PDB file of all heavy atoms in Angstrom:
ATOM      1  N   PHE A 519      -2.091 -38.700 -62.359  1.00 98.00           N
ATOM      2  CA  PHE A 519      -1.430 -37.700 -63.250  1.00 98.00           C
ATOM      3  C   PHE A 519      -0.941 -38.319 -64.519  1.00 98.00           C
ATOM      4  O   PHE A 519       0.128 -38.168 -65.117  1.00 98.00           O
ATOM      5  CB  PHE A 519      -0.056 -37.055 -62.475  1.00 98.00           C
ATOM      6  CG  PHE A 519      -0.625 -36.104 -61.311  1.00 98.00           C
ATOM      7  CD1 PHE A 519      -0.889 -36.650 -60.012  1.00 98.00           C
ATOM      8  CD2 PHE A 519      -0.616 -34.831 -61.576  1.00 98.00           C
ATOM      9  CE1 PHE A 519      -1.448 -35.835 -59.044  1.00 98.00           C
ATOM     10  CE2 PHE A 519      -1.100 -34.005 -60.536  1.00 98.00           C
ATOM     11  CZ  PHE A 519      -1.376 -34.526 -59.259  1.00 98.00           C
ATOM     12  N   LEU A 520      -1.887 -39.221 -64.979  1.00 98.00           N
ATOM     13  CA  LEU A 520      -1.594 -40.009 -66.148  1.00 98.00           C
ATOM     14  C   LEU A 520      -2.546 -39.476 -67.287  1.00 98.00           C
ATOM     15  O   LEU A 520      -3.811 -39.639 -67.238  1.00 98.00           O
ATOM     16  CB  LEU A 520      -1.995 -41.515 -65.884  1.00 98.00           C
ATOM     17  CG  LEU A 520      -1.410 -42.585 -66.865  1.00 98.00           C
ATOM     18  CD1 LEU A 520       0.142 -42.534 -66.898  1.00 98.00           C
ATOM     19  CD2 LEU A 520      -1.844 -43.848 -66.235  1.00 98.00           C
ATOM     20  N   ASP A 521      -1.859 -38.726 -68.333  1.00 96.00           N
ATOM     21  CA  ASP A 521      -2.703 -38.219 -69.339  1.00 96.00           C
ATOM     22  C   ASP A 521      -2.991 -39.054 -70.469  1.00 96.00           C
ATOM     23  O   ASP A 521      -2.506 -38.810 -71.658  1.00 96.00           O
ATOM     24  CB  ASP A 521      -1.952 -36.777 -69.725  1.00 96.00           C
ATOM     25  CG  ASP A 521      -0.554 -37.058 -70.314  1.00 96.00           C
ATOM     26  OD1 ASP A 521       0.105 -38.170 -69.865  1.00 96.00           O
ATOM     27  OD2 ASP A 521      -0.016 -36.286 -70.954  1.00 96.00           O
ATOM     28  N   VAL A 522      -3.626 -40.090 -70.290  1.00 97.00           N
ATOM     29  CA  VAL A 522      -4.092 -41.056 -71.296  1.00 97.00           C
ATOM     30  C   VAL A 522      -5.505 -41.298 -71.036  1.00 97.00           C
ATOM     31  O   VAL A 522      -6.125 -41.248 -69.964  1.00 97.00           O
ATOM     32  CB  VAL A 522      -3.278 -42.314 -71.232  1.00 97.00           C
ATOM     33  CG1 VAL A 522      -1.893 -42.203 -71.468  1.00 97.00           C
ATOM     34  CG2 VAL A 522      -3.605 -43.075 -69.842  1.00 97.00           C
ATOM     35  N   SER A 523      -6.259 -41.749 -72.173  1.00 97.00           N
ATOM     36  CA  SER A 523      -7.641 -41.949 -72.084  1.00 97.00           C
ATOM     37  C   SER A 523      -7.873 -43.404 -71.635  1.00 97.00           C
ATOM     38  O   SER A 523      -6.998 -44.225 -71.820  1.00 97.00           O
ATOM     39  CB  SER A 523      -8.342 -41.736 -73.410  1.00 97.00           C
ATOM     40  OG  SER A 523      -7.810 -42.664 -74.384  1.00 97.00           O
ATOM     41  N   PRO A 524      -9.081 -43.759 -71.201  1.00 98.00           N
ATOM     42  CA  PRO A 524      -9.380 -45.142 -70.902  1.00 98.00           C
ATOM     43  C   PRO A 524      -9.123 -45.969 -72.086  1.00 98.00           C
ATOM     44  O   PRO A 524      -8.564 -47.172 -71.893  1.00 98.00           O
ATOM     45  CB  PRO A 524     -10.946 -45.145 -70.452  1.00 98.00           C
ATOM     46  CG  PRO A 524     -11.097 -43.831 -69.879  1.00 98.00           C
ATOM     47  CD  PRO A 524     -10.126 -42.845 -70.769  1.00 98.00           C
ATOM     48  N   ALA A 525      -9.466 -45.522 -73.229  1.00 97.00           N
ATOM     49  CA  ALA A 525      -9.287 -46.395 -74.480  1.00 97.00           C
ATOM     50  C   ALA A 525      -7.794 -46.618 -74.748  1.00 97.00           C
ATOM     51  O   ALA A 525      -7.307 -47.786 -75.111  1.00 97.00           O
ATOM     52  CB  ALA A 525      -9.907 -45.689 -75.712  1.00 97.00           C
ATOM     53  N   GLU A 526      -6.938 -45.594 -74.661  1.00 97.00           N
ATOM     54  CA  GLU A 526      -5.453 -45.637 -74.683  1.00 97.00           C
ATOM     55  C   GLU A 526      -4.910 -46.819 -73.746  1.00 97.00           C
ATOM     56  O   GLU A 526      -4.113 -47.624 -74.049  1.00 97.00           O
ATOM     57  CB  GLU A 526      -4.767 -44.351 -74.624  1.00 97.00           C
ATOM     58  CG  GLU A 526      -5.056 -43.480 -75.813  1.00 97.00           C
ATOM     59  CD  GLU A 526      -4.401 -42.229 -75.522  1.00 97.00           C
ATOM     60  OE1 GLU A 526      -4.726 -41.470 -74.524  1.00 97.00           O
ATOM     61  OE2 GLU A 526      -3.588 -41.635 -76.365  1.00 97.00           O
ATOM     62  N   LEU A 527      -5.404 -46.761 -72.529  1.00 98.00           N
ATOM     63  CA  LEU A 527      -4.947 -47.525 -71.438  1.00 98.00           C
ATOM     64  C   LEU A 527      -5.329 -49.074 -71.834  1.00 98.00           C
ATOM     65  O   LEU A 527      -4.515 -49.896 -71.641  1.00 98.00           O
ATOM     66  CB  LEU A 527      -5.620 -47.091 -70.155  1.00 98.00           C
ATOM     67  CG  LEU A 527      -5.159 -47.849 -68.898  1.00 98.00           C
ATOM     68  CD1 LEU A 527      -3.737 -47.634 -68.512  1.00 98.00           C
ATOM     69  CD2 LEU A 527      -5.995 -47.389 -67.626  1.00 98.00           C
ATOM     70  N   HIS A 528      -6.616 -49.147 -72.156  1.00 98.00           N
ATOM     71  CA  HIS A 528      -6.976 -50.531 -72.633  1.00 98.00           C
ATOM     72  C   HIS A 528      -6.133 -51.090 -73.762  1.00 98.00           C
ATOM     73  O   HIS A 528      -5.808 -52.289 -73.702  1.00 98.00           O
ATOM     74  CB  HIS A 528      -8.548 -50.574 -73.089  1.00 98.00           C
ATOM     75  CG  HIS A 528      -9.136 -51.854 -73.169  1.00 98.00           C
ATOM     76  ND1 HIS A 528      -8.944 -52.595 -74.381  1.00 98.00           N
ATOM     77  CD2 HIS A 528      -9.890 -52.602 -72.277  1.00 98.00           C
ATOM     78  CE1 HIS A 528      -9.681 -53.759 -74.153  1.00 98.00           C
ATOM     79  NE2 HIS A 528     -10.174 -53.803 -72.998  1.00 98.00           N
ATOM     80  N   ARG A 529      -5.735 -50.328 -74.720  1.00 98.00           N
ATOM     81  CA  ARG A 529      -4.957 -50.810 -75.854  1.00 98.00           C
ATOM     82  C   ARG A 529      -3.643 -51.239 -75.231  1.00 98.00           C
ATOM     83  O   ARG A 529      -3.037 -52.266 -75.829  1.00 98.00           O
ATOM     84  CB  ARG A 529      -4.841 -49.665 -76.948  1.00 98.00           C
ATOM     85  CG  ARG A 529      -5.976 -49.542 -77.888  1.00 98.00           C
ATOM     86  CD  ARG A 529      -5.582 -48.787 -79.103  1.00 98.00           C
ATOM     87  NE  ARG A 529      -5.177 -47.328 -78.772  1.00 98.00           N
ATOM     88  CZ  ARG A 529      -6.032 -46.389 -78.728  1.00 98.00           C
ATOM     89  NH1 ARG A 529      -7.366 -46.601 -78.711  1.00 98.00           N
ATOM     90  NH2 ARG A 529      -5.579 -45.028 -78.481  1.00 98.00           N
TER      91      ARG A 529
END
Side-chain angles (χ1 to χ4, degrees):
F519 291 80
L520 199 56
D521 57 337
V522 297
S523 68
E526 289 174 305
L527 184 66
H528 190 277
R529 281 197 297 273

